[in-house]
Amino acid sequence: MKNIFKVSALTVSLSILAGCSIGGGPDESVTSPITVFVSNDIITLSETIKDKPTAIAVQDGKIINIGHQEALIEAYKDESNLVVDTQYIDKTILPGFVEPHMHIWMSSLLLSMDFITPADWAFPWGYVNGVQNEKAYFDQLTRLEQSLPEDEPLITWGYHNYFHGQNMSKKALNKLSETRPIIVWHRSFHEVYFNDAALKMLGWKETDWKKKQISQLNWDKGHAYETGLKAIMNELFMYFFDSGRFAKGVKRTKDYVHSGGITTVIDPGVLLSAQMYNEMVDVLTNDTFPMDYWLIPAGNFTYMLSQNDAEKGKAMAEQQTRTYKESDQINWLPKYVKLFSDGAMYSQLMHMKDGYTDGHKGEWIQKPEELEDSMRPYWYDDYTVIVHANGDLGFETAIDIVETLNNEAPREDHRTGYHHLGFTGKDDITRAVDQGANFSVNPYYTHILGELYSVHGIGKERAETMSRGQSFIDAGGVLSLHSDAPMAPAQPLSLAWAAVNRLGLSGSRTLGPLERISVEEALKAITINAAYTARLENQIGTIDVGKYANFTVLDESPFEVDPKDLNKITVSATVYRGEPAPVKHSNAGLDMTFRSHKAVRVINRLSARDGSGDFCTTSIEMQRSALGVVEH
């Protein structure tokens, strides 16, 4: 039973008003309910509150007072509708976690499918055991097929030929069922297999594929990959929308994100059809949605659609923010845009100053001249620009462009944000800090890729300082941590764990120990610093009077556990604008068991060699298909 009770001056004996009560007494003209949340461990991360409070008073979704339990109850004892909530008295209350870079809309497509993957996954809706050989894969596929209603298609994600054999084909899927549509999506997202029933369901005939004259569309095998997949993706995505599967994925993603204690999500790079966007908003806001979701247009994509006309690209992005409906909880960040520098970390397509040890080359998502051209109209219109940059050359190039624009039109608080930042030079960090930039790092790169890249492509010295942490802080920069889910778990405590410990995937090596950050800095990086990147620091990010009553409730204090166990702390609940929301399944996502570690090591090694699994490329193709923009 929840420990919540109403308080009356006649029934409660109170101690003398004392302690660290902050703010004035109640406004007698206000009659809306007041809730006092009580906890023996409140971590405010505030710069103004020095004492340790034990209670927070909330009214109309905002914090109105902070202090000791007795003091706050005394202050509001004459309120007829005062409620004291003690359900978290033995738990730890922190500011609500802020995720500064993740993609709810993209995760929703993936999570609409049944998982059969090499690794283990723990989700709010169930646990998925990984399978790592051909027989186990087809046995699991058979069990899934037999468990479904007769008329329901089977769509799975996670097949990987290096784990599950080379015999995936239309023939193999037809053998499983000639009547049930079956779609098998490769783990890399770059390949899909169909049986005959699935091809028929999607309205395709053999002539439809063969007239495209694309070798990567193999009708006989029911196999579409790379360019072939791009050519049919629009029809495939329309099925996900029309069938309701995307809506199912949105619901699952909502539960998944909440399981990490997140109360605010910023999504840099949204470009959806009206149909997909409206469905996402409807599903997210149906029933409880205990978080805010802030959207940012993908300026690189509108620039491309406008044939590299920067002004037209900007107008297209702005049109999107004006015409797509908003809600109280889902909004476009005012005058924000996302642009791109170099390529992806997982496929080693970032641009490196000293190149790669095996001689391969990086790629630009937007060439430097395109990045500068597309950024200029936003800069002159006082926009905040988020720049995707992964390699140290990609980072330096973006800094040079911002320097050029700032010399042309100086701005005091442009707050340019550099995101991902797999590799960065210290001198470039200092330059960017001096310019007024901030930094959002994906710390999971170090854990997942650090040891692999020490051997392949990068070398030990550079790989050791992947995803820097302390260097940004030493330079005076504002550092936040993000997941870019599904690139890393949408679990802020796991991000904090990765940045504090910098353990490689083996669990036995600390990579770049001088780049480890403290637990306190890690908590700031998933709260107030993350809010700063979105100019929301006056609304959320710390527990302070006047801010929204957004809290994350943990079973243990991050300051009391071994830092190596930060990612094991259970998220008990969130409080969103004063309303408690219990978490049913804490810290969901990829479960890093021994089997999962082994699988991820192999997949990473393959990705480094052949470029598969490039999520940035996948993102672009998903955006193309959502808008029906497909090259033939």
Side-chain angles (χ1 to χ4, degrees):
M1 179 179 295
K2 293 182 179 179
N3 299 317
I4 299 174
F5 55 92
K6 290 192 174 182
V7 176
S8 164
L10 298 176
T11 58
V12 179
S13 175
L14 299 167
S15 63
I16 298 174
L17 178 62
C20 58
S21 180
I22 297 172
D27 181 348
E28 294 181 359
S29 66
V30 177
T31 59
S32 55
I34 295 174
T35 300
V36 175
F37 290 94
V38 178
S39 170
N40 292 325
D41 186 27
I42 297 175
I43 300 172
T44 67
L45 296 178
S46 170
E47 293 184 354
T48 61
I49 300 175
K50 304 304 179 184
D51 294 329
K52 185 78 170 176
T54 58
I56 309 164
V58 174
Q59 187 176 47
D60 295 326
K62 289 190 174 183
I63 300 168
I64 61 170
N65 213 334
I66 303 167
H68 291 310
Q69 174 184 355
E70 296 85 357
L72 262 60
I73 295 177
E74 172 68 22
Y76 300 105
K77 65 181 180 181
D78 294 328
E79 294 290 332
S80 62
N81 48 14
L82 173 63
V83 173
V84 176
D85 187 332
T86 62
Q87 63 180 313
Y88 307 131
I89 193 166
D90 293 322
K91 299 183 184 295
T92 298
I93 296 179
L94 296 94
F97 291 158
V98 180
E99 168 57 84
H101 192 129
M102 76 161 291
H103 307 292
I104 286 180
W105 63 279
M106 279 194 284
S107 297
S108 297
L109 181 72
L110 186 66
L111 293 182
S112 72
M113 307 179 200
D114 289 304
F115 278 35
I116 311 179
T117 79
D120 299 332
W121 294 79
F123 287 120
W125 52 90
Y127 196 90
V128 178
N129 289 303
V131 296
Q132 297 193 357
N133 62 66
E134 184 172 1
K135 182 179 185 303
Y137 179 88
F138 278 97
D139 284 348
Q140 179 62 10
L141 193 64
T142 300
R143 283 192 291 271
L144 268 177
E145 194 279 327
Q146 293 174 349
S147 70
L148 294 176
E150 184 176 341
D151 59 347
E152 183 175 337
L154 170 58
I155 304 179
T156 75
W157 174 82
Y159 164 76
H160 199 297
N161 44 301
Y162 287 98
F163 289 92
H164 303 139
Q166 307 293 325
N167 295 318
M168 181 58 65
S169 66
K170 184 203 302 186
K171 180 179 179 181
L173 297 179
N174 283 341
K175 185 176 180 181
L176 188 63
S177 177
E178 294 183 350
T179 57
R180 183 190 306 280
I182 302 175
I183 301 174
V184 171
W185 215 303
H186 196 281
R187 191 197 178 280
S188 69
F189 211 90
H190 290 230
E191 302 181 50
V192 183
Y193 291 86
F194 308 87
N195 70 348
D196 278 320
L199 294 168
K200 181 179 179 180
M201 176 187 73
L202 292 164
W204 289 320
K205 299 178 181 178
E206 184 174 359
T207 54
D208 296 328
W209 279 30
K210 292 195 172 179
K211 71 181 179 182
K212 296 180 187 292
Q213 297 183 333
I214 298 174
S215 61
Q216 293 162 325
L217 269 178
N218 188 326
W219 180 268
D220 293 334
K221 287 193 69 175
H223 186 203
Y225 58 104
E226 301 298 353
T227 303
L229 179 56
K230 296 175 189 178
I232 64 170
M233 195 176 275
N234 184 43
E235 298 102 303
L236 188 54
F237 271 48
M238 286 305 300
Y239 166 74
F240 277 86
F241 302 153
D242 294 339
S243 67
R245 284 183 172 267
F246 178 69
K248 173 183 177 181
V250 175
K251 174 63 170 66
R252 285 184 163 184
T253 301
K254 178 169 70 170
D255 294 340
Y256 170 43
V257 174
H258 184 234
S259 78
I262 296 170
T263 58
T264 303
V265 173
I266 296 97
D267 193 333
V270 177
L271 191 52
L272 304 174
S273 67
Q275 176 187 14
M276 184 176 181
Y277 177 90
N278 289 337
E279 185 169 51
M280 177 185 72
V281 171
D282 289 344
V283 174
L284 288 178
T285 55
N286 181 40
D287 198 15
T288 58
F289 181 47
M291 65 190 75
D292 288 308
Y293 183 25
W294 292 94
L295 313 175
I296 299 174
N300 66 306
F301 197 63
T302 57
Y303 180 73
M304 179 186 68
L305 290 179
S306 62
Q307 288 75 51
N308 292 9
D309 184 314
E311 291 291 350
K312 289 182 179 178
K314 178 173 178 287
M316 187 180 296
E318 290 174 337
Q319 181 68 14
Q320 182 185 15
T321 66
R322 287 193 297 266
T323 57
Y324 283 30
K325 68 179 182 181
E326 295 182 314
S327 73
D328 185 44
Q329 296 173 250
I330 302 175
N331 294 277
W332 296 94
L333 266 182
K335 300 189 80 166
Y336 262 76
V337 69
K338 181 188 180 185
L339 300 172
F340 282 76
S341 180
D342 58 339
M345 279 286 292
Y346 277 84
S347 49
Q348 285 198 357
L349 291 177
M350 57 279 188
H351 267 295
M352 303 295 294
K353 292 181 180 180
D354 296 324
Y356 290 91
T357 59
D358 60 5
H360 83 270
K361 305 294 183 183
E363 297 287 347
W364 298 107
I365 295 181
Q366 284 187 280
K367 296 177 181 178
E369 60 271 21
E370 295 171 346
L371 176 57
E372 180 175 342
D373 183 47
S374 63
M375 191 185 300
R376 181 168 276 103
Y378 294 106
W379 184 272
Y380 274 80
D381 196 17
D382 204 31
Y383 265 70
T384 303
V385 182
I386 302 298
V387 181
H388 159 119
N390 263 314
D392 53 8
L393 181 58
F395 181 46
E396 180 185 65
T397 299
I399 293 171
D400 289 343
I401 291 170
V402 171
E403 182 175 300
T404 296
L405 294 175
N406 206 31
N407 287 335
E408 292 177 10
R411 294 170 56 189
E412 290 187 3
D413 187 23
H414 58 83
R415 212 176 291 197
T416 301
Y418 298 105
H419 284 211
H420 306 325
L421 302 177
F423 296 93
T424 49
K426 285 190 175 183
D427 291 344
D428 290 328
I429 291 173
T430 300
R431 287 179 59 207
V433 170
D434 291 343
Q435 290 175 356
N438 61 85
F439 314 93
S440 193
V441 168
N442 185 336
Y444 238 68
Y445 286 159
T446 306
H447 177 57
I448 297 291
L449 300 173
E451 291 173 320
L452 174 72
Y453 285 9
S454 293
V455 179
H456 298 282
I458 299 298
K460 184 176 184 296
E461 183 177 351
R462 289 185 294 177
E464 288 279 329
T465 57
M466 179 187 297
S467 299
R468 293 183 188 272
Q470 191 61 38
S471 288
F472 293 104
I473 297 168
D474 290 343
V478 177
L479 173 67
S480 64
L481 303 175
H482 69 266
S483 67
D484 196 19
M487 297 295 287
Q491 311 298 328
L493 285 176
S494 290
L495 303 179
W497 167 85
V500 167
N501 295 286
R502 294 185 64 85
L503 287 174
L505 196 56
S506 68
S508 62
R509 284 183 60 194
T510 299
L511 303 176
L514 295 180
E515 293 295 342
R516 291 180 294 188
I517 65 176
S518 68
V519 171
E520 182 176 8
E521 291 292 353
L523 292 179
K524 289 180 180 178
I526 58 176
T527 55
I528 185 59
N529 291 359
Y532 177 89
T533 69
R535 298 184 184 268
L536 297 172
E537 70 273 16
N538 293 324
Q539 301 177 32
I540 57 174
T542 61
I543 296 177
D544 275 303
V545 171
K547 292 191 175 184
Y548 283 114
N550 290 356
F551 313 134
T552 298
V553 184
L554 307 179
D555 279 357
E556 299 172 277
S557 169
F559 292 120
E560 299 297 329
V561 303
D562 187 318
K564 291 185 178 179
D565 291 331
L566 280 173
N567 59 339
K568 297 178 183 178
I569 297 175
T570 299
V571 179
S572 177
T574 64
V575 176
Y576 171 72
R577 298 188 187 182
E579 294 293 331
V583 169
K584 298 177 182 179
H585 187 107
S586 175
N587 296 319
L590 182 64
D591 194 3
M592 295 309 290
T593 59
F594 174 80
R595 172 169 48 195
S596 294
H597 274 85
K598 178 181 176 182
V600 171
R601 279 198 297 270
V602 173
I603 290 168
N604 287 347
R605 187 163 64 247
L606 296 169
S607 297
R609 185 174 70 241
D610 63 19
S612 67
D614 177 357
F615 193 68
C616 292
T617 300
T618 299
S619 169
I620 296 295
E621 297 314 323
M622 290 177 73
Q623 293 171 5
R624 284 180 180 275
S625 114
L627 292 176
V629 180
V630 181
E631 295 175 351
H632 294 275

